[in-house]
Amino acid sequence: QSALTQPPSASGSPGQSVTIYCTGTSSDIGGYNYVSWYQHHPGKAPKLIIYEVSKRPSGVPDRFSGSKSGNTASLTVSGLQAEDEADYHCSSFASSNVRVFGGGTKLTVL
Amino acid sequence: QLQLQESGPGLVKPSETLSLTCTVSGYSIKTDYYWGWIRQPPREGLEWIGSIFHSGTAYYNPSLKSRVTISVDTSKNQFSLNLRSVTAADTAVYYCAASPGGTYFRFDNWGQGTLVTVSS
């Protein structure tokens, strides 16, 4: 059982927006602004797309955005494209120098 | 460009030790990075195993700490994972990854991953 809770699946049509939520506790998401999101296409290496809650690494489209409220972080993908179909994993730094992950959300572009 | 590549046996027997090595290329392991291991069991999410600095300072997932050792070999630009007393629950794709210092184990670079199956 993962430390952070994500819905197992999400979906949207091309051009639409979809938001994926990630729920933790005050010991991880709620206590630190070190939330990351990773995009993971099957058989490939995960790719960092959001860090420190809302920052995007160079090269990541601004269609991807992140935010946090209390113990819940969220990832919004706007203007859905076919290549956005992938698994998305949230992660947070946690107390005692630990990194925790969510169970992953499979995003389907309809 | 920093690249990572996992290597090691794809099959390990129950109760034995799982050993993997990650070779870092394009970058010295003796820099301000933490070098980590993450795994993904079939049909499950990612799980952080632990991370190490080139000085040898290591941090581990409390749920695995009693069975895990991560070490670094600066002469070979490699770091390694040893997971003792494995069971079928340790079957997973194992990734090595790099975290810039000060990012609290944010993983900017990942290896392709290697599947390790625990079975007799």
Side-chain angles (χ1 to χ4, degrees):
Chain A
Q1 192 166 355
S2 300
L4 306 178
T5 301
Q6 296 181 239
S9 63
S11 63
S13 299
Q16 288 187 332
S17 294
V18 64
T19 297
I20 299 171
Y21 294 95
C22 173
T23 302
T25 69
S26 58
S27 295
D28 39 66
I29 292 176
Y32 304 92
N33 287 322
Y34 292 104
V35 176
S36 307
W37 289 88
Y38 299 87
Q39 179 189 61
H40 191 191
H41 289 102
K44 293 195 170 184
K47 175 186 176 184
L48 177 71
I49 57 171
I50 294 289
Y51 67 99
E52 292 176 16
V53 177
S54 60
K55 297 178 181 178
R56 282 186 309 276
S58 174
V60 174
D62 59 7
R63 301 186 296 103
F64 294 91
S65 61
S67 64
K68 186 186 91 166
S69 177
N71 297 337
T72 299
S74 61
L75 170 72
T76 298
V77 186
S78 305
L80 271 175
Q81 298 182 5
E83 60 261 35
D84 298 334
E85 185 161 296
D87 295 328
Y88 290 84
H89 302 270
C90 63
S91 177
S92 175
F93 182 76
S95 54
S96 303
N97 289 314
V98 170
R99 210 9 117 153
V100 291
F101 284 91
T105 298
K106 180 177 179 57
L107 175 61
T108 300
V109 180
L110 302 171
Chain B
Q1 183 178 353
L2 193 162
Q3 294 185 317
L4 305 107
Q5 179 65 57
E6 306 89 351
S7 60
L11 181 64
V12 181
K13 290 181 168 56
S15 80
E16 296 191 343
T17 296
L18 180 160
S19 296
L20 295 174
T21 294
C22 182
T23 300
V24 179
S25 58
Y27 218 77
S28 172
I29 205 168
K30 292 187 291 184
T31 54
D32 190 23
Y33 270 78
Y34 275 85
W35 309 97
W37 290 96
I38 302 101
R39 70 180 182 178
Q40 184 175 28
R43 297 171 297 283
E44 295 186 30
L46 297 171
E47 179 179 36
W48 175 70
I49 299 171
S51 296
I52 191 168
F53 197 63
H54 64 81
S55 62
T57 299
Y59 299 90
Y60 298 114
N61 186 326
S63 68
L64 297 169
K65 187 175 183 177
S66 64
R67 298 193 292 131
V68 172
T69 301
I70 298 176
S71 58
V72 62
D73 187 337
T74 57
S75 67
K76 295 182 179 179
N77 227 40
Q78 296 175 334
F79 61 104
S80 298
L81 168 69
N82 275 357
L83 179 64
R84 298 175 290 277
S85 304
V86 297
T87 69
D90 295 308
T91 293
V93 175
Y94 286 76
Y95 297 95
C96 59
S99 306
T103 64
Y104 296 87
F105 307 144
R106 176 189 89 206
F107 301 106
D108 286 21
N109 305 86
W110 296 67
Q112 287 296 310
T114 186
L115 174 63
V116 179
T117 301
V118 178
S119 174
S120 56

